Amino acid sequence: AQSVTQLGSHVSVSEGALVLLRCNYSSSVPPYLFWYVQYPNQGLQLLLKYTSAATLVKGINGFEAEFKKSETSFHLTKPSAHMSDAAEYFCAVSGTGGYNKLIFGAGTRLAVHP
Amino acid sequence: DGGITQSPKYLFRKEGQNVTLSCEQNLNHDAMYWYRQDPGQGLRLIYYSQIVNDFQKGDIAEGYSVSREKKESFPLTVTSAQKNPTAFYLCASRSTSGPYGEQYFGPGTRLTVT
């Protein structure tokens, strides 16, 4: 069975500091991996996706993620945090068994302080 | 603009009443999904549908029902049998022509039952 673990339910950084949100996955087949962002009382927006074309994936809003098969990780980073980055972030893996279900992590809430 | 609409944004009901949440998409996507989101628990799949007139139970289908009479529409009914219906409900869709499985989300409906 596939699963996703996001380490740290809350992460706090200062404006301008590095953002690192951790995601580890478990999958018996080569995975497709995704990061989504959710602002308060809104739906989820796709930040980026890993589809095996390149291990370093660039997304919107200056975010990027690196797929590391040996570590079964897909951590999300941004070199310099902005106040507008404060949101909840979800890592997801595309499931097997038809219908392409997404398996979501529990989410990491990012706070950015001035 | 193409996208997914959910209405209403906020919904209040008395315990014991059925309530139907609307989800419409104009992305020409074949697959549609309903998720429930509770604080600290990420997203849990309620129902999904890959084609018209077909749908499958997700992980927490008890107390919910759906229909898929049109490609664009996938309404969710929260019945009185759902023991804890207060939550944030998200609808999503996916194109089955692509292999990667990324889903696109609507803005959500916050249901409060008292």
Side-chain angles (χ1 to χ4, degrees):
Chain A
Q2 293 177 305
S3 65
V4 173
T5 302
Q6 291 184 241
L7 299 175
S9 58
H10 291 81
V11 171
S12 181
V13 300
S14 298
E15 192 173 20
L18 171 72
V19 175
L20 171 61
L21 304 182
R22 300 178 186 273
C23 173
N24 288 89
Y25 69 92
S26 170
S27 178
S28 58
V29 297
Y32 296 130
L33 293 157
F34 309 88
W35 275 101
Y36 285 86
V37 61
Q38 184 181 34
Y39 299 100
N41 287 314
Q42 294 187 27
L44 276 66
Q45 180 182 6
L46 182 65
L47 270 179
L48 49 80
K49 63 185 179 187
Y50 167 73
T51 61
S52 75
T55 56
L56 183 62
V57 182
K58 294 189 183 297
I60 62 172
N61 301 339
F63 283 94
E64 62 182 35
E66 186 172 9
F67 173 72
K68 292 187 176 181
K69 184 178 179 180
S70 61
E71 298 177 9
T72 60
S73 69
F74 190 55
H75 301 331
L76 182 70
T77 60
K78 182 174 181 178
S80 177
H82 191 272
M83 297 295 287
S84 61
D85 294 327
E88 188 151 24
Y89 292 80
F90 292 93
C91 182
V93 61
S94 184
T96 57
Y99 291 93
N100 283 109
K101 292 190 287 183
L102 286 182
I103 311 300
F104 286 88
T108 296
R109 185 167 298 278
L110 175 66
V112 182
H113 300 287
Chain B
D1 285 337
I4 303 173
T5 57
Q6 292 185 243
S7 60
K9 180 69 173 174
Y10 298 94
L11 193 52
F12 299 89
R13 282 293 183 269
K14 295 290 188 184
E15 195 172 317
Q17 294 179 334
N18 291 356
V19 59
T20 297
L21 281 59
S22 168
C23 177
E24 303 278 334
Q25 55 99 359
N26 61 5
L27 299 168
N28 199 33
H29 286 173
D30 293 301
M32 298 186 74
Y33 306 79
W34 273 106
Y35 293 90
R36 171 183 172 134
Q37 187 177 25
D38 296 281
Q41 295 194 41
L43 278 72
R44 293 183 289 169
L45 183 63
I46 305 172
Y47 267 98
Y48 55 100
S49 167
Q50 185 153 348
I51 57 174
V52 173
N53 293 324
D54 179 66
F55 47 83
Q56 302 292 328
K57 292 182 179 180
D59 301 317
I60 56 164
E62 184 175 351
Y64 299 98
S65 66
V66 294
S67 63
R68 186 85 187 276
E69 297 177 1
K70 298 187 300 182
K71 185 177 184 178
E72 306 78 30
S73 179
F74 191 40
L76 173 74
T77 297
V78 184
T79 75
S80 56
Q82 168 50 231
K83 296 191 187 320
N84 185 18
T86 294
F88 191 51
Y89 291 87
L90 288 160
C91 179
S93 70
R94 178 182 69 86
S95 170
T96 54
S97 63
Y100 307 126
E102 70 265 31
Q103 296 176 15
Y104 296 89
F105 285 80
T109 292
R110 186 166 297 280
L111 173 65
T112 303
V113 177
T114 58

